[in-house]
Amino acid sequence: RQSERLSELVEDLLELSRLESRELQLAEKPINVAMAAQRASEAVRPKARARNTAIELEVAPDLFVLADPRGIEQVVLNLLDNAVKYTPPNGHIWVSATRIGEEIELRVKDDGPGIEARHLPRLFERFYRVDKGRSRDMGGTGLGLSIVKHLATARKGDVRVESAPGQGSTFFITLPVAPPDAGNPA
């Protein structure tokens, strides 16, 4: 188990390093948000099922962002994985998206324990953990949200979170809408 965690940590550190140095060449293609959310949710469904946590997707099939195909899925996957980890058993997670002007806002909301306001400004820092002991027990590298931020901002997007203790958390990712003439959607 420890060697798997070490391997995950090394992979995440390399990914983050490539993103920060702009060494990683991200594609810019029209990506169907509903399909990306579906693929990411399928990847975390076994963990969610084991915790009896429901994942609901509410994403219209006609929403396309201009992004890296692997990157957008990784963003949603990291957010869903965190939501599954921190939502108590029998919880609920919602993924939704809306077009707002020339951007798509993707939301991952959970009914977990929520996060105190004092932690919110630092959540996207590498290795920052709200509850170090609990996080260590649940696995992860402490780099997922930092990777999410770098992937979103690399594509002229943004990321933010709203949360309060006892009220769950909602993570918001905004990315540019894919123009109609941007090529074949993925």
Side-chain angles (χ1 to χ4, degrees):
R1 203 175 85 211
Q2 293 303 321
S3 65
E4 285 177 19
R5 285 180 69 178
L6 184 58
S7 177
E8 285 176 22
L9 178 61
V10 169
E11 286 177 37
D12 283 354
L13 279 169
L14 289 171
E15 178 85 5
L16 192 54
S17 175
R18 286 190 293 264
L19 285 167
E20 288 178 341
S21 69
R22 301 198 192 322
E23 178 184 312
L24 184 64
Q25 296 298 314
L26 297 173
E28 193 168 85
K29 298 172 53 171
I31 307 298
N32 183 290
V33 179
M35 288 175 61
Q38 180 66 38
R39 286 191 289 261
S41 71
E42 286 169 8
V44 299
R45 243 179 244 288
K47 279 185 193 176
R49 214 172 291 130
R51 296 176 57 80
N52 200 32
T53 299
I55 299 174
E56 286 188 38
L57 301 178
E58 301 166 359
V59 181
D62 62 343
L63 297 177
F64 290 84
V65 293
L66 201 54
D68 180 77
R70 186 176 146 276
I72 186 70
E73 279 185 43
Q74 187 172 3
V75 162
V76 181
L77 180 64
N78 284 1
L79 293 176
L80 278 173
D81 189 55
N82 275 358
V84 169
K85 274 190 237 179
Y86 295 106
T87 298
N90 304 312
H92 217 96
I93 299 167
W94 299 266
V95 179
S96 59
T98 309
R99 182 174 178 156
I100 302 170
E102 292 305 306
E103 294 181 321
I104 302 291
E105 181 180 77
L106 176 71
R107 293 171 300 281
V108 177
K109 178 180 176 14
D110 65 59
D111 60 3
I115 304 164
E116 292 178 38
R118 67 187 172 100
H119 294 291
L120 297 180
R122 299 194 58 202
L123 274 185
F124 297 98
E125 292 177 13
R126 39 166 98 173
F127 301 115
Y128 186 79
R129 296 191 184 254
V130 172
D131 180 349
K132 292 174 183 18
R134 184 168 181 234
S135 296
R136 204 173 299 116
D137 293 341
M138 298 185 157
T141 62
L143 295 170
L145 291 178
S146 186
I147 290 171
V148 165
K149 181 176 180 149
H150 278 82
L151 284 169
T153 57
R155 284 288 147 239
K156 303 173 193 92
D158 197 18
V159 60
R160 66 185 174 87
V161 61
E162 291 178 2
S163 187
Q167 297 181 14
S169 301
T170 305
F171 286 83
F172 301 84
I173 305 294
T174 55
L175 291 166
V177 170
D181 59 349
N184 294 328

